[in-house]
Each structure stands twice: as C-alpha cells, then as structure tokens.
Amino acid sequence: MNGATTPLQTLIRNVRVHDPVHGLDGEVRDLAIRDGRCVTPQPGEPAGETIDASGCIAMAGGIDLHTHIGGGKVNLARLLLPEDHRDARGQPCARSDNPLELDACGHVTPGTLATGYRYVQMGYTAAFEPAMVAANARHAHMEMGDTPILDHGAYVMLGNDELFLQRLAEGAHPDELRDLIGWTLHATKAMGVKVVNPAGISAFKFNQRKLDVDEGHTHWGVTPRQVVHALAQGLHTLGVPHPLHIHGSNLGVAGNIGSTLAIIDALEGLPAHLTHVQFHAYGNEGPRKFSSAALQLAEAVNAHPEISIDVGQIMFGQTVTASGDTMRQHANAGLASPRKWIGSDIECDAGCGVVPFRYREQSYVNALQWAIGLELFLLVRNPWQVVLTTDHPNGGPFTSYPHLIRLLMDRSFRLEQLAKLHPDVAAQSALKDITRELTLQEIAVMTRAAPARLLGLHDRGQLGVGAAADLAIYREHADRERMFTTPERVYKDGRLVAREGRITAVPVGGTHFVEPDYDRSFDRVMRERLRRHGSVHPDHAVIGRDELCSCCNGGTLLPTACLAGARA
C-alpha cells in the first residue's frame, strides 16, 4: 500500500448493494470506507474494522427532502401539544439508558434531539426543512443545528412577501425578480425556494378566503399563475439545483385537481417540484362529492419529466398539521382534534397555522386520502420523479416510513389494510386493482437517489467511489416494515452512528445551502427596504457562514467542511 494513503476505516464484505445511481440492483460485493468516503477496496488491504454482511443489503443513507423539523411553526406545534411529550400515564418520557442519548421525546413533533436519533435509527442521514420564513431564518438554522448527526438545510419561503408581490404587480423586469430571489437565498443560507399557496397567504390578510390559480389578488392584482412562473423562471436562471418547491393552491379542497393541473400548466415547461401532492389530488365526483384524482395527476406527471413530486402520505392516528398556509389552516381550524389551534405571522413574509388532527380509519375522507397517496406512489411510472414523504408531521410522523414502505412493497398487506377502512373507500378507489409492488431498487430511488439528485447533492444518495460514506445496512427480511425499522448499522461520513437501533456516536451534521450568482447591487435595495420597514437591522439580515458552524456545536468554529454548500 502507498505510504501516503490512510488505511481503510471499514470494510463491509458480501453485502447486497442497491445503488440506483450506479445501476447496482442487489449485486453482492464489498464496500470500503476511507477518510469518510466510499472507496474501492484492494485485494488483501487491511482495515480497522471488517464486517461480514452476508444476508444484508446496503443502501446510501436515507434523505428526507420534505420534513418540518425546524423553525417557528414546529416549536408552536410542540407547545400546542405538551401531551405529545408525555407517556400514556401523563408522565415525562422515560430516560434512555444510552449515555449518548440526551433526554428527548415526542412522537408527533419530537424535539430536535429525538428527531436526530429517530431518523438515524431508521437509516436516514439527512433531512430538510421545507418552509423557512426569511425573517426567522437564523432561528431555523440554529434549531436544525441542534439536531444531531443529520445533514440539514432549508427552503426559504417566497411568493407571499410584500416586496415580491409589489414588484411583480408593478411589472418588474425578470432580472429584478431574479436578484430578489438570489439575495433572499444568500441572506438566509437556503438551498431552495418554497412557495406556499402562491399569493394566497397574502390575500388572506386582505380578507380573501380563496385564491385559485387564475384569480386575482384583491390588493396586488397578481395571480398565482404569475407568481409560480416568475419564481420558477428566476430559480432556473440562477441555476439553483433544486427547482421551485410548490405547495399549490386550494390544499385539501374537494375538486382541487383542476388547480394542481393549472399549476403545472403555469410552469410552461420549467422544472418544478410539487410537494405533498396527496392533498392536491382530489376530485368532487360521487355521492359524497369527494373522490380520488390520483390517476389524473399521475398522468400529468408521467407526461412531464421535468416535474417531480413528493406524496405527503397520510398515516392513521394523532398528528398535528403545521403549515405556512394560514388561509387553509384557518378554514380547517374547526376540524382540530384536540380542539385548539394557532395562527401567526412574522413581518408579512408568509404565515403560520398549527392545527392538531387525528386521521381515522373509519372516516370516509381520511381513508380515501390514505388510498389516494398510495395510488400516486404506484401510478407514477418513473420512481425518479417521486419522493417518499408523509409531509411530517402533517400527514403523519416520519417514524411511520417503514410501515409505508411495506404498504408499497407488499400488495397483500396493502389489501388487508384497505379492508379495515371505511367500506365505501374500496369501492371508490382504484387501489384494490393496482397490482404493482415496489422493489428494493425503487425504494432506494425514492428515499435516497432521487432526493439527492433533486437537491443537487451529487456525493450523497449513492455509494460510488468518492461519495460521502453515508450508508445503512439492513438485515434482509420478508417483512419490509421490520427490515426498514431498525438497520443493523448506520454510518454517517464513515462513522458508525447506530447499531441495531442504538446510537453509537453523535457527530455534527453539515448545513447545505446555495450561493447564487445574482447582481450584488441589489443588496442596496434590500438594505433600504429593511431600514424603512424591517424589524431586523440591515447589518444583521444576512446570515454568515460562521454562524452556521457555531450554531452547530455551541459556539466552537467548525472547519469549513461542515458547510456542505453547493454553489449555484
């Protein structure tokens, strides 16, 4: 061996590898880790640790592209449901016997520590907050920095802030809107842009109760179609890897499939990611005027390779919905269970609504929602266009992913669960007739390779030479829920962080963000805007790289490697 080469940290032998990026579909081979990266092992090369993984499969570490884990609304959800942080007897959660796990609990919206532990115990190594308010970005980053082990990042919300809507209404040149987007990404250290109910959150503040795609904002006069296209065009021009992340109009409204298809039309071929589409795939047919439109949406996605989706699958039981969509959360507040809710706003950037909710198997609407989500997973032909999510916590907690995976991979189990639901759902849903069962390779795409590609994380979601050694090793089992609940081993950047469900190390995860190349003269526009109208001093508006590092580990500056940033 070359004396300048460091020895292998770990050699994993005889493991079945599922790496869709490199076309490995269950090939038995050896994997090796050196300096936190995947390398090709040489014959006879010694390693610090050698593992015989016969009977196991290896995948890259899971990546959750859309999960609410940091920021104001998540903390409000925790405050609203203190009972979620108690056991069945109302007592504080029991302490772990693992000295590496600090006291942490919560099921529906676990605290930051529990979030990191629970994700890693399932084989996930990265999770991304999809709705960061610009005025609250510093806090959101600090909270995500308190989440152990996981790589993280956030999408900043635009499309309802006053400056963007004003400039769009005034007919601003696309370059000016591009620079507004670029400045916002730079200032908040975001890795993408999220639009929630385009222009609708703002319209709600002017007492509008609905805003369809081609309906005018009562004050600014702009339409959601204009907002979506302008944002998608600006991000495309800037070269930001992740396309516009869209929470469409009329979330949860019967018949909203028309709005969802209109959003796709508004993009005019630009790339975009439609999020929690289960909540946007409803028809208004049948005796109850509520039906599945999953086939219509799947056909649209199949016809538009530039479009990707995540599903936002609902899971039965107690959860809490936490969203920037105050218009829809206000409309749903009467359905709260338990009967309490919160609505708030920060500086007219966007909004925040928190409504507890319990999905019930014998509710026709809830049961059909469950079926619609599964239909979407199974009807979209290309798994690279679909990401597995529950829109945690809105559709259900992320800890339900192993159960969801079994539903997708095991048709007989799926039909057993369907038979337990409201009796009218099976008759109204196409789910019973869908024979497709997802393969391990397709699960690896939806939970690893596709989210990495969509986020521009080229060295994640795969196990090729030079990739970050984020990987999970699962013991093969016919019961896929059991298999994906507790991997044998989980590695983060080459370090063993969990073994058979027990946390073994708690390294600090990296913060992913983009630095777009926009016209820096626009900084003066934003400084004047903040000076006149903002509550944050212009000197403090832009988050520095050193802040991201220091918030990750209590004030000690980490090496720049902790900033896994992508330059756009």
Side-chain angles (χ1 to χ4, degrees):
M1 185 191 306
N2 188 325
T5 303
T6 57
L8 294 178
Q9 293 171 245
T10 305
L11 177 62
I12 303 166
R13 305 199 62 191
N14 306 315
V15 68
R16 285 179 54 208
V17 178
H18 285 273
D19 180 2
V21 172
H22 293 96
L24 300 177
D25 188 2
E27 254 186 60
V28 176
R29 57 170 52 202
D30 296 346
L31 296 175
I33 300 170
R34 176 185 287 119
D35 297 328
R37 294 277 161 175
C38 296
V39 297
T40 300
Q42 301 302 315
E45 186 176 0
E49 177 187 38
T50 300
I51 301 157
D52 184 359
S54 301
C56 295
I57 69 162
M59 294 182 178
I63 300 172
D64 198 339
L65 174 146
H66 185 109
T67 175
H68 297 279
I69 58 170
K73 66 189 174 307
V74 183
N75 274 326
L76 289 173
R78 293 169 182 143
L79 289 169
L80 193 65
L81 293 175
E83 59 269 31
D84 185 51
H85 296 259
R86 301 268 174 170
D87 64 20
R89 298 172 298 170
Q91 300 299 312
C93 298
R95 292 189 171 187
S96 171
D97 64 353
N98 185 349
L100 290 175
E101 287 192 44
L102 301 178
D103 290 350
C105 59
H107 173 65
V108 171
T109 50
T112 54
L113 299 176
T115 295
Y117 302 149
R118 302 295 92 81
Y119 261 117
V120 168
Q121 287 166 335
M122 295 192 307
Y124 276 71
T125 54
F128 296 94
E129 164 58 48
M132 178 174 68
V133 179
N136 198 39
R138 185 171 274 105
H139 165 80
H141 278 295
M142 292 180 71
E143 188 166 358
M144 289 186 291
D146 195 49
T147 303
I149 309 172
L150 298 176
D151 282 352
H152 51 266
Y155 322 137
V156 65
M157 293 171 68
L158 278 174
N160 281 283
D161 53 298
E162 296 297 283
L163 181 58
F164 179 87
L165 292 174
Q166 178 186 345
R167 294 298 171 90
L168 185 63
E170 293 170 348
H173 191 277
D175 288 353
E176 184 178 352
L177 298 177
R178 174 207 64 198
D179 293 337
L180 172 56
I181 296 167
W183 181 90
T184 305
L185 287 166
H186 162 70
T188 61
K189 294 299 180 284
M191 64 183 308
V193 169
K194 166 84 170 292
V195 60
V196 175
N197 189 356
I201 302 173
S202 172
F204 179 70
K205 299 167 191 176
F206 291 89
N207 207 33
Q208 275 185 273
R209 292 295 183 264
K210 61 177 286 293
L211 187 67
D212 212 343
V213 177
D214 291 302
E215 189 175 355
H217 186 297
T218 190
H219 178 74
W220 296 113
V222 300
T223 66
R225 179 181 293 272
Q226 293 173 281
V227 171
V228 165
H229 189 271
L231 288 171
Q233 182 65 63
L235 285 167
H236 187 66
T237 303
L238 287 168
V240 174
H242 188 48
L244 180 62
H245 201 93
I246 302 174
H247 162 142
S249 306
N250 297 316
L251 177 141
V253 176
N256 64 11
I257 184 61
S259 301
T260 306
L261 298 178
I263 288 287
I264 294 175
D265 179 68
L267 292 163
E268 298 179 4
L270 290 166
H273 180 86
L274 307 184
T275 191
H276 44 63
V277 292
Q278 178 277 133
F279 293 103
H280 300 272
Y282 302 155
N284 52 11
E285 300 173 355
R288 299 173 186 266
K289 304 302 180 184
F290 182 74
S291 58
S292 171
L295 179 58
Q296 290 171 262
L297 180 54
E299 288 176 343
V301 174
N302 290 336
H304 289 272
E306 75 280 4
I307 298 294
S308 59
I309 62 171
D310 63 74
V311 171
Q313 177 68 37
I314 76 143
M315 307 302 283
F316 297 112
Q318 181 66 52
T319 192
V320 59
T321 62
S323 172
D325 195 343
T326 41
M327 178 186 281
R328 297 308 314 151
Q329 292 294 73
H330 176 268
N332 292 329
L335 303 174
S337 177
R339 298 279 292 182
K340 49 185 176 178
W341 77 288
I342 294 173
S344 66
D345 186 20
I346 302 176
E347 291 202 355
C348 292
D349 268 353
C352 175
V354 181
V355 180
F357 196 81
R358 180 179 291 275
Y359 294 103
R360 295 174 169 84
E361 291 182 340
Q362 293 308 308
S363 161
Y364 171 79
V365 170
N366 296 164
L368 189 59
Q369 289 176 302
W370 176 88
I372 290 168
L374 296 176
E375 288 173 351
L376 287 164
F377 275 116
L378 298 166
L379 291 171
V380 174
R381 290 192 294 267
N382 184 357
W384 289 91
Q385 290 178 264
V386 188
V387 176
L388 187 143
T389 69
T390 58
D391 185 21
H392 166 83
N394 292 288
F398 64 80
T399 48
S400 61
Y401 287 174
H403 181 74
L404 173 55
I405 288 172
R406 185 180 180 190
L407 288 168
L408 296 172
M409 296 188 71
D410 185 341
R411 182 174 183 249
S412 62
F413 177 70
R414 193 162 66 227
L415 293 177
E416 287 175 12
Q417 302 308 301
L418 180 61
K420 297 177 181 179
L421 306 185
H422 190 288
D424 292 347
V425 168
Q428 296 293 325
S429 168
L431 186 61
K432 65 182 182 303
D433 300 317
I434 299 176
T435 59
R436 182 182 178 188
E437 295 178 321
L438 298 188
T439 65
L440 283 171
Q441 191 77 342
E442 289 172 320
I443 294 297
V445 172
M446 292 180 178
T447 59
R448 275 93 172 154
R453 177 182 290 183
L454 288 167
L455 294 171
L457 305 178
H458 303 300
D459 65 344
R460 315 281 159 156
Q462 49 120 334
L463 298 174
V465 173
D470 295 352
L471 68 148
I473 300 173
Y474 299 93
R475 177 68 59 183
E476 179 75 61
H477 199 283
D479 182 341
R480 300 307 193 185
E481 182 173 355
R482 176 177 170 180
M483 173 179 160
F484 280 99
T485 296
T486 310
E488 294 276 303
R489 290 170 175 261
V490 183
Y491 292 86
K492 179 74 187 79
D493 292 316
R495 188 173 181 182
L496 182 68
V497 291
R499 184 172 184 176
E500 297 178 351
R502 187 174 180 85
I503 299 298
T504 58
V506 284
V508 175
T511 303
H512 295 264
F513 62 94
V514 296
E515 272 296 0
D517 186 14
Y518 68 97
D519 185 347
R520 298 290 167 151
S521 67
F522 193 79
D523 292 356
R524 293 194 298 271
V525 175
M526 293 307 301
R527 286 188 65 87
E528 179 61 18
R529 172 82 179 183
L530 290 166
R531 186 189 67 79
R532 295 182 60 192
H533 301 292
S535 62
V536 177
H537 192 280
D539 289 345
H540 304 148
V542 177
I543 299 172
R545 289 185 172 218
D546 57 333
E547 294 183 78
L548 296 183
C549 280
S550 62
C551 78
C552 288
N553 70 343
T556 303
L557 185 64
L558 295 173
T560 54
C562 82
L563 301 174
R567 176 168 289 275

